[in-house]
Amino acid sequence: MAEIVISEFMDEAAVAELGASFDVLYDKTLGDRPEALAEAAAGCRALIVRNRTQVRGALLDGANLRVVGRLGVGLDNIDCAACRERGIAVIPATGANNVAVAEYVLAGLLMLLRGCYGASASVAAGEWPRERLVGREIAGKTLGLVGFGGIAREVAARARACGMRVIAHDPFLPADAPEWERYGVRAVGLDGLLAEADAVSLHVPLTPETRHLIDAARLGMMKPGAVFVNAARGGVADEEALAEALVSGRLAGALVDVFEKEPLKAASPLAQAPNCILTPHIAGVTQESNVRVSSLVARKVAEALRGDA
């Protein structure tokens, strides 16, 4: 019986590294097969997951886990309280995909403000819609970051290098914290941020306090013509309200990588919204970040198991 079960995709070199010291079951389909996962995990000491595997309830009850490795940073798919009660260590890959997400957000800002990302089909068909596709530069615009942790700081550095002004809201970071000055970012309240920013990007976890933090009322506070990026967690923004803001024309565009239910259903209001770019929870996953994340988690899981032996 395997000591380590890996239920979603992981860098093959990191899997091999674990396999050199432990009995490993690597089946990246297990995250979508909860019964098979529960059977596989019944005797294992470690479980390594991404965001689709639900580590809670019957899975925890039926396993003898000592550690859960998370190939990423969000923990809303893991019942952390239940893990603490059972003495199970939860190990996220903190910091290992910051650059990937920051580059994704910056790319989104460039695409949304320039507004020409959907022109290929019309140009290929012989059209020449130059006037319609005159967009905006990000230089001189104000970026509002909701949350100012590690990823948001990487976004701020890149946005300021492109000439943006950056403001942020983070009630957990004191006003005199050195990070504000270090990154050249001004701390503001959430409502003030929404009213001032030309672009808003979310960088908070999904918790009871942040669920639908960005609702219809707060979307209504945003500047007409502003753009919106959510590469944090589905559920932080109200998807129906966001779709309505796009349909009404109040927002000029949105880039959404994370959803309340994944995969996104074809009937979602966001699927029909104009100027809305949808991606499959991929912001933090690049070839490079996958290596960093997988290597970090493999090393820490191995250390935890050896320390538990």
Side-chain angles (χ1 to χ4, degrees):
M1 187 170 291
E3 294 175 273
I4 301 174
V5 172
I6 305 168
S7 64
E8 297 180 66
F9 72 89
M10 187 174 184
D11 179 61
E12 297 282 354
V15 175
E17 179 183 341
L18 287 171
S21 302
F22 302 94
D23 185 0
V24 174
L25 171 61
Y26 176 41
D27 183 345
K28 55 190 175 184
T29 72
L30 286 173
D32 294 315
R33 297 190 293 130
E35 291 183 3
L37 174 60
E39 182 179 351
C44 76
R45 299 167 60 208
L47 177 63
I48 296 178
V49 305
R50 286 190 182 270
N51 64 295
R52 291 184 60 76
T53 306
Q54 298 300 307
V55 186
R56 61 182 82 252
L59 177 61
L60 289 173
D61 290 338
N64 188 32
L65 292 172
R66 306 313 306 156
V67 58
V68 176
R70 168 69 169 91
L71 298 165
V73 293
L75 299 176
D76 46 287
N77 61 310
I78 300 171
D79 188 338
C80 292
C83 287
R84 282 193 298 271
E85 291 174 4
R86 292 166 168 80
I88 302 170
V90 177
I91 300 174
T94 303
N97 64 359
N98 286 8
V99 169
V101 180
E103 289 187 356
Y104 173 98
V105 171
L106 185 64
L109 296 174
L110 290 162
M111 287 193 295
L112 292 171
L113 284 168
R114 196 63 187 261
C116 58
Y117 55 85
S120 292
S122 59
V123 172
E127 300 176 25
W128 206 242
R130 294 186 70 203
E131 187 173 352
R132 177 170 61 84
L133 295 175
V134 174
R136 294 174 285 172
E137 299 170 358
I138 67 172
K141 302 297 186 296
T142 298
L143 170 62
L145 302 172
V146 181
F148 196 54
I151 293 174
R153 294 168 196 173
E154 294 286 350
V155 173
R158 287 159 175 76
R160 292 191 70 235
C162 291
M164 298 191 84
R165 296 182 295 269
V166 183
I167 58 178
H169 169 70
D170 193 325
F172 299 102
L173 189 64
D176 59 354
E179 287 80 5
W180 298 113
E181 184 176 355
R182 182 181 305 154
Y183 288 90
V185 174
R186 179 164 53 91
V188 297
L190 178 57
D191 292 352
L193 179 149
L194 296 171
E196 183 178 350
D198 300 293
V200 172
S201 182
L202 302 186
H203 297 277
V204 295
L206 179 63
T207 67
E209 293 73 27
T210 63
R211 182 172 292 280
H212 286 190
L213 178 69
I214 306 301
D215 56 11
R218 286 206 162 106
L219 287 165
M221 296 176 185
M222 291 178 64
K223 293 172 67 171
V227 298
F228 180 84
V229 176
N230 186 7
R233 275 294 176 271
V236 176
D238 183 329
E239 292 175 6
E240 290 190 11
L242 176 58
E244 176 55 34
L246 291 165
V247 170
S248 70
R250 180 171 187 84
L251 295 187
L255 172 59
V256 186
D257 185 55
V258 288
F259 308 94
E260 293 199 47
K261 293 185 178 179
E262 298 180 356
L264 182 70
K265 302 301 181 185
S268 165
L270 287 176
Q272 311 303 322
N275 300 326
C276 187
I277 306 172
L278 306 174
T279 56
H281 204 141
I282 201 69
V285 185
T286 60
Q287 293 176 11
E288 295 87 352
S289 73
N290 185 40
V291 171
R292 291 193 301 268
V293 164
S294 299
S295 177
L296 174 63
V297 171
R299 176 172 53 81
K300 289 192 172 185
V301 165
E303 290 173 355
L305 290 181
R306 291 184 181 116
D308 190 57

